[in-house]
Amino acid sequence: MSVHFTTFVLPKTAINLPHDTPFLVFGADTAEEITSIPLATSLHVIGNELMPLVHASETYPVPVSDHWIRASMEEYDRAAKVAVVLEPVPADISTEWAELTEGALGPDLPPWLSMMLFAKLHVVTRDVPVTSGTGVADIGMVVGAPTTLPAWAHQEIVPEGR
């Protein structure tokens, strides 16, 4: 399976919002693999590791930067935007190599990311809660949230002409 991910923070100045927006983006190499992307209902942070959860089931850990954690906990009201690209994207989506204190910035982000931000790729998004801590009681789960499309998506971005 070739599911990829990247995390980044969209600065408030980029889209004229009162807050920075932390993103977790999933994509896949092929159209067939897109259906295997987990539709996270909540996210949990321990240290610099983010665990997407589908109800109470863990998916796989994702490294996140201090900047991403700060944005999700302080700026975006203990939440983050999860995006799933519904068309194939190249394997360079992954940014797990990034420095954890800063994350991936500017030219180090995958080249297709600007296409996503300018609505040139078919994408669905959902705002999900972010919790943190090392205890079992710290983990926040949203058990009633949908886990299939289209119900999971709060927003669907379809490129013009498609």
Side-chain angles (χ1 to χ4, degrees):
M1 180 170 81
S2 297
V3 171
H4 317 292
F5 64 86
T6 194
T7 59
F8 70 97
V9 176
L10 186 62
K12 56 187 158 196
T13 55
I15 52 176
N16 200 23
L17 288 175
H19 53 75
D20 291 343
T21 305
F23 274 84
L24 168 60
V25 183
F26 288 102
D29 284 336
T30 66
E32 295 77 31
E33 293 169 322
I34 292 169
T35 58
S36 65
I37 294 174
L39 299 175
T41 55
S42 62
L43 305 171
H44 186 74
V45 176
I46 298 176
N48 286 97
E49 188 174 273
L50 175 70
M51 179 59 68
L53 300 166
V54 178
H55 294 167
S57 299
E58 296 179 347
T59 56
Y60 35 82
V62 174
V64 289
S65 68
D66 291 344
H67 180 60
W68 191 97
I69 295 167
R70 203 169 29 262
S72 67
M73 296 303 201
E74 298 169 14
E75 293 264 335
Y76 207 62
D77 199 24
R78 300 186 67 79
K81 192 168 289 293
V82 175
V84 176
V85 181
L86 296 179
E87 56 189 271
V89 292
D92 64 359
I93 185 172
S94 187
T95 54
E96 61 261 352
W97 52 267
E99 174 61 43
L100 289 179
T101 55
E102 298 173 19
L105 303 169
D108 292 330
L109 288 167
W112 56 264
L113 194 57
S114 61
M115 292 175 62
M116 184 189 92
L117 293 173
F118 289 107
K120 304 289 185 199
L121 293 174
H122 189 188
V123 177
V124 289
T125 68
R126 182 179 184 87
D127 284 354
V128 301
V130 177
T131 55
S132 65
T134 57
V136 174
D138 296 326
I139 300 171
M141 292 175 259
V142 182
V143 255
T147 58
T148 57
L149 291 173
W152 176 86
H154 285 157
Q155 179 182 28
E156 180 176 15
I157 301 157
V158 180
E160 242 182 80
R162 289 197 203 175

